[in-house]
Amino acid sequence: MAKKKEMEGEVFYPSEQVVEQARVKDWEAMAEKADKDLEGFWSAEASELEWYKKWDKVLDDSKKPFFKWFTGAKVNIVHNAIDRHLKTYRKNKLALIWESEDGKEHLTYSYFAMNREVSRMANIIKAMGVRKGDRVTIYMGRIPEIVFAMLACAKIGAVHSVVFGGFSAEALHGRIEDSQSKLVITQDGNYVNGKIVDLKRTVDEALKRCPSVENVLVVRRTGQDTPMDPLRDHWYHELAKLPVANGKCPTEEMDAEDPLYILYTSGSTGKPKAILHVHGGYMVGTYTTLKYVFDLKDEDRFWCAADPGWVTGHSYIVYGPLLNGATSFMFEGGPAYPYPNRWWQCVERYGINILYTAPTAIRGLMRFGEAWPNKHDLSSLRLLGSVGEPINPEAWKWYHRVIGKEQCPIMDTWWQTETGMFMITPTPTVPLKPGSGTRPFFGQQAEIVDEAGNPVKDGDEGYLVLKRPWPSMLRTIYGDPDRYVNQYWSKFPGKYLAGDSARRDADGYYWIIGRVDDVINVSGHRLGTAEIESALVSHPAVAEAAAIGLPHEVKGTGIHAFCLLRAGFAPSESLAEELRQHVAKVISPIARPEDVKFVDKLPKTRSGKIMRRVLKARAQGLPEGDVSTLEE
Ligand code: WTA
């Protein structure tokens, strides 16, 4: 593409071929149009989908920050993800391709089959008494049934709450209790790097104190011995044989603003927040962003290598691809088991055209060297994607050169559980700078502001805020609307506070620096310092604890803990190890600290708040900054 103007820094321009194939050829024109007429842009996108009844209003901002989209409309996301395709040639198109961790099982589901499987699961959970508005917790691994379970809930108007299968019984318990779920859907065990993780037993443990749960639906995956409570627990494969499971299941007509799902994510304080998304706007946002950013073509095979337990999986394994009538690939295992060519084998075997993953996975695979990907034919790849944390230029370039053979633009998509869809992202023809997500998506405006809310100069670091509403924005924190207002809309009234620091360069490109709140991003997983600290102090030896994040070669950020021991306990290597295990057990192995240090005191403000910033500076041998409020 002809360079329009000289851009600063290292820039990768799209090839002629990329431009030729791209859906959006003139990014500037499209952005300008959406900017001038936000509602017009989104209503045109929404009109590409089917609605039982169209909206009265595209955007209702009369009660901001409680924005509403497509008010008055009737819709169900499943109608657009599945039902509408059944009337077209897509009925016979593959919706999902799946491969087991060991590579011995391969399953494919056409849109027709997807409808059958989702209807079956929906009939079963309906027969269990699940109704519109009820919450259902899903605790599973990457198997097709997790997709069926999510869509089955949505189909009948129930609200799913997926909890990542790596979370502990205690974390699961907290999420079930907060959501007051009636039903839990799980599987006997999950294969993780050749070992079985007992999901059902973890559910049993979590349910000891969850009176709201009436039934547990268990998918058989590993076949190991699994205790079943005869009154509460049901094997899915047994119920699936019953006549009640096998009839048609009507898709429930929902209001556009009816809840679709909640998903827990870590915040700066207290327990995880239940982010609420709705049927109408979330549908339009995920459909539109995936279409433009990954430029989905009918013949594409798209692979989002995230886990359905996180928002990336919700939006871009499950909903976005199906809304676009695409063929999506899901792999049960991880990138390096049994060998570090596992992913490349999948790309070759299934002819994947678009691969979307996280910097931590790329850095992890980089360490094994180029020989592993070079053994495979990766020429089917057309586009690559990155999400979850800033991608360091070194990893970006490796991904670009070794995986994409310098032919595939990398879509570095910045977004959050709260935003539901990509917010700062290129589309394929946008010139790229390694490490920058480029500019806000169509219809969005971002700004970098200082403590007082004033825009900073280009090049300076500040708070990242979003200035315009978007259809797939979170509607509230489930059960805690005040926290929604305080967390996102109070620091800079009228602007959405992302919780990230960033800077903008002279070309208008955004560079995310990292979280500014007390959230640690470990391998793209959000963990709150408060959660880690409360896990540490739940151990009898610990009186007080502080957790910070420090740079880590593969994980991006690693957790480092500082503990003050109770009287009668002495620091030791074995106690440090015990505390690391304790955090893994209480939250999840992803939260296990890199190390635990014992201290006599923690740096605190006069009002008693731990100054993690000071701990961080000390640990890295950097200046401590403003310590006027420090009282040690
Ligand atoms: C970070 C994941 C830089 C950021 C979709 C954000 C990123 C948090 C990027 C949200 C990216 C996500 N570049 N940082 N491309 N994508 N982040 O809710 O700090 O799990 O606030 O959503 O991840 O994490 P969450």
Side-chain angles (χ1 to χ4, degrees):
M1 194 176 78
K3 297 184 190 181
K4 282 210 178 90
K5 67 169 189 173
E6 224 25 71
M7 292 173 71
E8 77 173 21
E10 192 173 13
V11 185
F12 289 71
Y13 292 91
S15 66
E16 298 274 340
Q17 201 188 359
V18 166
V19 177
E20 193 153 306
Q21 289 177 351
R23 184 180 256 118
V24 179
K25 296 206 180 5
D26 190 346
W27 186 93
E28 311 287 339
M30 186 92 170
E32 198 183 310
K33 201 168 145 215
D35 198 50
K36 282 209 180 104
D37 182 11
L38 182 69
E39 292 189 40
F41 173 78
W42 285 113
S43 88
E45 294 301 328
S47 300
E48 292 182 6
L49 298 165
E50 288 183 0
W51 302 73
Y52 301 126
K53 175 180 172 280
K54 280 233 170 168
W55 49 92
D56 303 323
K57 219 169 164 358
V58 177
L59 168 64
D60 174 1
D61 58 3
S62 58
K63 294 200 178 65
K64 50 185 174 212
F66 295 94
F67 294 91
K68 291 190 162 102
W69 286 81
F70 308 107
T71 50
K74 295 277 184 199
V75 75
N76 187 309
I77 195 166
V78 173
H79 177 84
N80 280 295
I82 301 177
D83 305 2
R84 79 180 171 111
H85 303 308
L86 303 179
K87 297 175 285 189
T88 72
Y89 69 93
R90 284 187 180 142
K91 174 179 161 190
N92 297 319
K93 180 178 170 177
L94 292 188
L96 183 67
I97 303 173
W98 177 83
E99 180 167 310
S100 63
E101 183 181 75
D102 64 9
K104 291 186 184 141
E105 290 166 82
H106 314 256
L107 294 171
T108 55
Y109 298 88
S110 64
Y111 275 87
F112 183 82
M114 184 64 96
N115 181 53
R116 184 187 61 224
E117 298 301 324
V118 171
S119 298
R120 181 180 290 141
M121 180 94 71
N123 282 327
I124 290 173
I125 68 176
K126 222 153 78 172
M128 287 176 161
V130 175
R131 295 287 172 268
K132 187 169 176 170
D134 288 343
R135 273 81 57 214
V136 173
T137 295
I138 300 174
Y139 183 66
M140 300 175 79
R142 277 192 296 269
I143 58 173
E145 286 83 355
I146 189 173
V147 180
F148 308 154
M150 291 165 72
L151 294 163
C153 290
K155 187 173 175 68
I156 66 168
V159 180
H160 60 72
S161 167
V162 180
V163 178
F164 173 58
F167 274 123
S168 67
E170 198 147 330
L172 177 63
H173 166 259
R175 287 155 173 81
I176 295 173
E177 191 166 57
D178 186 78
S179 62
Q180 289 291 299
S181 289
K182 251 186 161 168
L183 167 69
V184 176
I185 308 179
T186 188
Q187 63 194 70
D188 49 359
N190 185 25
Y191 290 111
V192 179
N193 296 333
K195 294 198 191 71
I196 291 176
V197 176
D198 276 321
L199 295 184
K200 169 62 168 58
R201 279 175 207 267
T202 307
V203 170
D204 290 343
E205 189 60 38
L207 290 188
K208 283 186 182 154
R209 291 167 293 139
C210 290
S212 67
V213 174
E214 295 163 6
N215 292 292
V216 178
L217 185 58
V218 189
V219 173
R220 193 162 70 188
R221 169 68 192 121
T222 50
Q224 90 262 29
D225 189 29
T226 300
M228 298 287 277
D229 175 330
L231 293 177
R232 189 196 66 188
D233 303 344
H234 316 270
W235 284 110
Y236 180 65
H237 64 274
E238 284 175 4
L239 298 186
K241 286 186 217 140
L242 301 178
V244 64
N246 290 305
K248 279 206 167 89
C249 176
T251 304
E252 188 78 28
E253 239 181 64
M254 308 294 285
D255 281 331
E257 282 289 314
D258 275 339
L260 168 63
Y261 70 76
I262 53 180
L263 184 56
Y264 288 85
T265 190
S266 298
S268 38
T269 51
K271 53 183 188 147
K273 304 171 284 190
I275 302 302
L276 180 87
H277 285 292
V278 301
H279 273 260
Y282 177 80
M283 169 181 85
V284 176
T286 51
Y287 165 75
T288 308
T289 46
L290 186 59
K291 179 181 67 172
Y292 288 129
V293 174
F294 284 112
D295 215 352
L296 282 189
K297 309 215 186 298
D298 217 14
E299 62 276 17
D300 276 342
R301 290 182 163 198
F302 174 72
W303 180 10
C304 167
D307 192 281
W310 309 111
V311 76
T312 307
H314 280 59
S315 296
Y316 300 111
I317 296 178
V318 181
Y319 291 109
L322 295 173
L323 289 167
N324 278 281
T327 299
S328 192
F329 172 65
M330 184 161 85
F331 173 49
E332 185 180 37
Y337 179 83
Y339 300 107
N341 64 332
R342 200 61 186 86
W343 274 11
W344 317 128
Q345 213 171 34
C346 288
V347 168
E348 180 172 19
R349 182 173 288 161
Y350 298 103
I352 301 298
N353 305 100
I354 304 163
L355 173 65
Y356 182 39
T357 183
T360 182
I362 299 160
R363 287 191 299 263
L365 289 166
M366 245 170 100
R367 294 203 308 176
F368 296 108
E370 294 177 27
W372 291 102
N374 287 347
K375 286 211 284 208
H376 297 274
D377 177 4
L378 305 181
S379 63
S380 57
L381 289 171
R382 193 180 86 238
L383 283 170
L384 299 172
S386 174
V387 60
E389 55 174 316
I391 181 164
N392 45 310
E394 199 195 352
W396 194 100
K397 286 180 196 165
W398 188 85
Y399 195 27
H400 188 253
R401 180 175 58 81
V402 179
I403 306 306
K405 314 292 178 206
E406 297 179 343
Q407 301 301 310
C408 307
I410 299 175
M411 302 295 103
D412 181 355
T413 61
W414 175 87
W415 59 295
Q416 308 178 298
T417 306
E418 291 88 339
T419 70
M421 66 178 217
F422 310 144
M423 300 306 294
I424 297 179
T425 175
T427 57
T429 63
V430 169
L432 303 172
K433 301 189 192 189
S436 167
T438 74
R439 291 170 289 188
F441 186 72
F442 307 131
Q444 191 47 256
Q445 292 170 357
E447 204 165 61
I448 312 289
V449 300
D450 63 17
E451 200 59 45
N454 300 314
V456 301
K457 288 201 310 296
D458 280 348
D460 284 358
E461 181 177 343
Y463 294 95
L464 173 66
V465 295
L466 300 173
K467 290 178 28 178
R468 304 185 89 184
W470 63 100
S472 67
M473 62 202 299
L474 78 163
R475 294 304 190 267
T476 189
I477 292 174
Y478 179 73
D480 202 348
D482 292 344
R483 195 173 172 198
Y484 165 71
V485 178
N486 292 335
Q487 183 91 43
Y488 303 106
W489 302 96
S490 299
K491 191 170 173 77
F492 308 116
K495 292 172 188 169
Y496 170 84
L497 177 73
D500 280 342
S501 64
R503 53 189 181 80
R504 182 170 56 202
D505 68 18
D507 297 312
Y509 276 36
Y510 287 79
W511 299 77
I512 306 296
I513 295 161
R515 300 289 308 190
V516 273
D517 50 6
D518 293 318
V519 170
I520 306 180
N521 188 335
V522 183
S523 299
H525 304 318
R526 272 167 76 168
L527 294 160
T529 49
E531 289 165 78
I532 301 160
E533 289 159 6
S534 83
L536 285 164
V537 296
S538 74
H539 188 282
V542 181
E544 267 190 90
I548 59 167
L550 294 175
H552 184 282
E553 204 187 322
V554 174
K555 299 177 183 173
T557 313
I559 299 169
H560 296 259
F562 298 83
C563 292
L564 222 126
L565 293 178
R566 285 182 194 280
F569 290 90
S572 69
E573 282 280 315
S574 66
L575 181 57
E577 184 50 32
E578 189 178 319
L579 292 173
R580 293 177 64 234
Q581 295 306 342
H582 181 71
V583 177
K585 187 169 168 284
V586 174
I587 306 174
S588 162
I590 55 180
R592 183 186 289 123
E594 302 300 313
D595 63 28
V596 173
K597 288 203 166 64
F598 299 105
V599 293
D600 305 331
K601 54 188 175 188
L602 289 167
K604 284 189 188 164
T605 63
R606 270 168 228 130
S607 56
K609 273 169 89 177
I610 297 170
M611 293 180 83
R612 296 188 190 81
R613 176 174 65 75
V614 172
L615 279 172
K616 226 169 139 162
R618 285 181 190 166
Q620 298 183 98
L622 298 169
E624 291 182 12
D626 177 11
V627 287
S628 55
T629 59
L630 181 69
E631 182 173 273
E632 270 193 80

